[in-house]
Amino acid sequence: MGKSALILFFTTFSLFAQNDVKTCEILSKINTLILREHIQPKPIDDSLSVFVFDSFMDELDPSRNIFLKSEYDGLVQKYRKQIDDNIKNKNCSFLTEIITVYKSNLLRNKTVLEKINLSEIDFELIDTIRFYKKQFPFYMLENQVEKVWTKKIRYEILDDIASTSKNLDSLKVNFNAMAIVSKNAIIQKELCKINTLLESPASYDESIYNHFCRYFDPHTSYFSNDSKSSFVASLSNERLSLGMVVNLNEKNEIIIHELDPKGPAFQTGKIKKGDQIISISNQKETLQVSCSSLESISNMIQSETNKEIVLTLKRNSSNYFEVPIEKKILKDESDSVYSFIVEKNKKIGYIKIPGFYGDFEGESGKGCAEDVAKEIFNLQKENVKGLVIDLSDNGGGSMEEAIKLAGIFVDKGPISIIIDNKQTQTIIEDPFFGMLYKDPIVLMINSSSASASEFFASILQDYNRAILVGTPTLGKATMQSIRPLEEYKDDHFLKITINKFYRITGKSHQKTGVNPDVYLPEFYENIYQKEKDQITAFKNDSIETPIYIKPYIKPSLIQKIALKNNRRIDTISYFNEIKIINTKLNSLNNNPKRETAMTLDSVFNDQKAINSLFEEISSFESKKLDLNIYNSDLTNLHLNFNLPDKENNQLRLKALKTNHYLGEAIQILEDFITLK
């Protein structure tokens, strides 16, 4: 070995050693903070080792085509039950060794793919392929690597060709020519992914920190300064933004779908709706869209730290062109509270709350609660007789805003109980005296209503202040706070679960979700991942509480309205058809997929069966409802002076006019008003 190579060898391992020490130091600090402040800390033992090791290996090799079985078994023997001891002994070399093997295997796969690209694939060979719903064992042997990858590429070619036409005979006639084009595109994409992984400056330390954190619960996570800034920004409806919305098309290309006329992307004068994003650069690194994960692309676009980025775009069949953009602070209208007036037999107010946003780093007090209050004043001027509040797909946000919002609708008294890691109970009181709004309310919830949404919904349900309609919510009844790992330092943070919250009855919706009074089925409701599906989620429990509250109306009235409407909804064909389609979706999702023959006929027929189901969903009847939906006078006045908001307003109006869930909410609210 030459002298220079020897120096490089020792320098490289010296750097690895330094990184290993730093990794252990941060893990130790994370553990110290968790032991001190987490609601339910666990001991650092073999269980943690197994969870961290298995989660990390699943992340690195989800398809089981990177690590050999022998390599995996060797790492299991050395580390699967030893990571806890390694961390205690400040020896985190396990990370360096795993990543060294991983990158070596990526290089091996690259060589194999280049070989396959120069070879012919035998499509006449009799073979089958099976897909697994859950993770399957590491199985690949050294002499099988090329076979495994050839099989994978062969299936992807068949799948790609089958997706291009509904005419099987036409595909067979043109199969050979199509296979050559498809094979080259698929292999080049795989090579691009491998090169990105090999060349990426990203560290795997953060991944280990997060697997360590999620051993304690699904919502505790590590933040670098960058990720912390992005997370805080996501909880506000005003943030640094490019002012554009992107979509994935059927080819998995990222296309610019909308441009905000007030945003920096539009104001460059060079970007148009329909442009394809080829790559994104933040001056430190460049992500090629075709071979980068959607998560990394999204982080690059949304990160608050990437204030200046360069987009490489393509328009139609023209050449690529670059556009530098500097983000600016914009209000995200899609995440802001808005309202309409709905008339059927009575005049009803409708308020949509997309998220519980707030001013997290300022003292303005502005947030969704204040915006809801403004919309209520606006609607009261129009003499509405009741209110529909829509929390569908509201993933939560600021608990402070949820508390304020509950105070608007509850007269006075306790609204929730929280406990900390010392099991100390704290009763949260209504922050305001009196109610801003006193008339009947229907609250719309669904499977994606989570956290602060569930907190707010449970309060109104316990006080009989609203009738809840929809499907059971996500099932998260915990509160998180962002803490620095070290005081007075701002480079490492933890979003840590510090409280569990309970209903004023002492019950919890943790894992179970908040159950509606009137059930309205929705597509995919049993497929969406819920809190109960997270293996480290807290169990459901309850606490003793001496609290007594006076319900806003008699429970018997809620029960009467719920019983009447549940019976009525059971007879509505729209919702019964959703139940039938959901049964098919559940069967597709829950039953192991049968072994598929590696032939064009078999892949085409499988695709046809799946596509017909999704076509059934996409073409599902959404007839216009017999509802008159319109803006308040004040909203119309605002739109006259803010023309860019007018298009968004019209899209919302159009969507609501075919929203059967709103139609049922209005019917239930009218029953509520009549009976009350």
Side-chain angles (χ1 to χ4, degrees), residues 13 16 67 93-107 204:
F13 276 86
F16 279 151
F67 288 96
S93 57
F94 67 89
L95 179 58
T96 295
E97 181 172 345
I98 291 172
I99 296 304
T100 300
V101 176
Y102 174 66
K103 291 199 169 185
S104 172
N105 291 348
L106 289 175
L107 284 169
Y204 292 91

Side-chain angles (χ1 to χ4, degrees), residues 13-80:
F13 276 86
S14 174
L15 289 172
F16 279 151
Q18 290 173 27
N19 288 336
D20 292 341
V21 170
K22 185 181 176 184
T23 300
C24 271
E25 285 176 355
I26 292 174
L27 284 170
S28 180
K29 289 172 184 175
I30 289 172
N31 188 43
T32 299
L33 183 56
I34 286 174
L35 287 173
R36 187 173 70 239
E37 299 199 25
H38 193 270
I39 180 69
Q40 200 170 303
K42 303 175 188 176
I44 305 300
D45 56 17
D46 287 356
S47 296
L48 175 133
S49 293
V50 169
F51 179 84
V52 171
F53 181 87
D54 289 351
S55 302
F56 189 49
M57 294 299 287
D58 286 343
E59 178 192 345
L60 293 177
D61 192 3
S63 300
R64 306 299 192 245
N65 54 19
I66 297 176
F67 288 96
L68 300 177
K69 184 181 186 303
S70 57
E71 293 165 341
Y72 172 76
D73 289 344
L75 293 170
V76 165
Q77 189 68 29
K78 287 184 73 174
Y79 297 125
R80 191 166 184 258

Side-chain angles (χ1 to χ4, degrees), residues 44 54 417 547 559 574 580 644:
I44 305 300
D54 289 351
I417 306 160
I547 294 174
Q559 291 164 7
Y574 180 90
I580 291 167

Side-chain angles (χ1 to χ4, degrees), residues 227-239 302 304 332 335 355-358 360 396-397:
S227 52
K228 180 241 182 185
S229 298
S230 297
F231 177 78
V232 170
S234 72
L235 299 176
S236 170
N237 70 335
E238 290 187 352
R239 59 183 75 105
Q302 295 179 6
E304 290 271 300
D332 185 354
D335 199 33
F356 283 84
Y357 53 85
F360 282 81

Side-chain angles (χ1 to χ4, degrees), residues 384-531:
V384 298
K385 304 302 179 187
L387 201 61
V388 172
I389 299 175
D390 190 352
L391 293 180
S392 303
D393 302 320
N394 182 322
S398 167
M399 290 297 292
E400 184 180 352
E401 290 297 317
I403 291 167
K404 287 182 190 175
L405 192 63
I408 290 174
F409 300 104
V410 173
D411 189 3
K412 60 180 178 179
I415 56 174
S416 184
I417 306 160
I418 62 171
I419 66 166
D420 59 20
N421 59 3
K422 296 180 178 62
Q423 299 302 302
T424 304
Q425 292 188 19
T426 303
I427 297 173
I428 301 176
E429 297 281 344
D430 174 1
F432 310 123
F433 185 78
M435 289 187 288
L436 180 63
Y437 186 80
K438 299 180 180 180
D439 289 329
I441 301 169
V442 161
L443 193 65
M444 296 170 66
I445 56 174
N446 69 357
S447 302
S448 300
S449 304
S451 194
S453 291
E454 299 174 278
F455 176 84
F456 172 73
S458 67
I459 293 166
L460 268 59
Q461 189 176 53
D462 287 339
Y463 269 94
N464 282 357
R465 186 64 189 88
I467 295 176
L468 273 57
V469 305
T471 51
T473 58
L474 184 91
K476 176 180 178 287
T478 57
M479 296 167 64
Q480 288 73 40
S481 181
I482 298 176
R483 302 276 201 265
L485 286 190
E486 292 182 273
E487 205 170 353
Y488 310 119
K489 289 190 176 182
D490 61 355
D491 49 355
H492 302 285
F493 299 85
L494 219 57
K495 177 167 70 75
I496 181 171
T497 301
I498 57 169
N499 295 109
K500 288 161 61 176
F501 58 82
Y502 294 81
R503 300 170 74 141
I504 42 183
T505 59
K507 293 180 180 179
S508 168
H509 61 259
Q510 173 64 22
K511 271 194 169 185
T512 63
V514 176
N515 289 307
D517 301 301
V518 179
Y519 168 67
L520 297 175
E522 65 170 334
F523 285 125
Y524 309 110
E525 65 181 85
N526 295 318
I527 293 175
Y528 290 128
Q529 190 173 59
K530 300 282 195 80
E531 184 80 1

Side-chain angles (χ1 to χ4, degrees), residues 532-652:
K532 64 184 179 183
D533 301 315
Q534 305 280 358
I535 61 173
T536 58
F538 297 130
K539 294 178 181 177
N540 180 272
D541 62 354
S542 58
I543 56 174
E544 294 292 328
T545 171
I547 294 174
Y548 170 78
I549 62 162
K550 184 179 179 182
Y552 184 71
I553 57 173
K554 291 180 180 178
S556 58
L557 179 59
I558 299 282
Q559 291 164 7
K560 184 176 181 180
I561 296 167
L563 183 62
K564 175 186 174 183
N565 282 282
N566 278 316
R567 284 175 175 167
R568 180 179 59 80
I569 287 157
D570 280 344
T571 67
I572 297 174
S573 61
Y574 180 90
F575 293 108
N576 284 328
E577 286 175 37
I578 289 176
K579 290 178 184 177
I580 291 167
I581 293 173
N582 274 343
T583 301
K584 297 177 186 177
L585 284 167
N586 294 340
S587 175
L588 184 68
N589 184 60
N590 297 330
N591 296 331
K593 190 173 178 182
R594 62 179 177 79
E595 228 172 355
T596 300
M598 296 270 278
T599 64
L600 184 61
D601 293 69
S602 182
V603 174
F604 181 87
N605 289 329
D606 275 0
Q607 227 181 69
K608 184 179 177 181
I610 294 168
N611 289 342
S612 66
L613 178 55
F614 287 105
E615 283 171 11
E616 195 175 347
I617 295 169
S618 61
S619 63
F620 190 72
E621 183 183 23
S622 288
K623 288 190 294 189
K624 216 171 182 181
L625 298 170
D626 184 23
L627 297 174
N628 183 19
I629 308 175
Y630 54 93
N631 293 310
S632 67
D633 290 340
L634 197 60
T635 299
N636 278 328
L637 184 64
H638 165 79
L639 293 174
N640 286 335
F641 291 97
N642 295 272
L643 294 178
D645 294 342
K646 206 162 190 173
E647 183 182 355
N648 201 22
N649 177 268
Q650 290 304 306
L651 289 171
R652 289 168 175 169

Side-chain angles (χ1 to χ4, degrees), residues 170-184:
S170 172
L171 293 178
K172 287 181 176 180
V173 169
N174 298 291
F175 180 80
N176 291 336
M178 294 175 76
I180 292 169
V181 175
S182 180
K183 176 188 170 188
N184 184 61

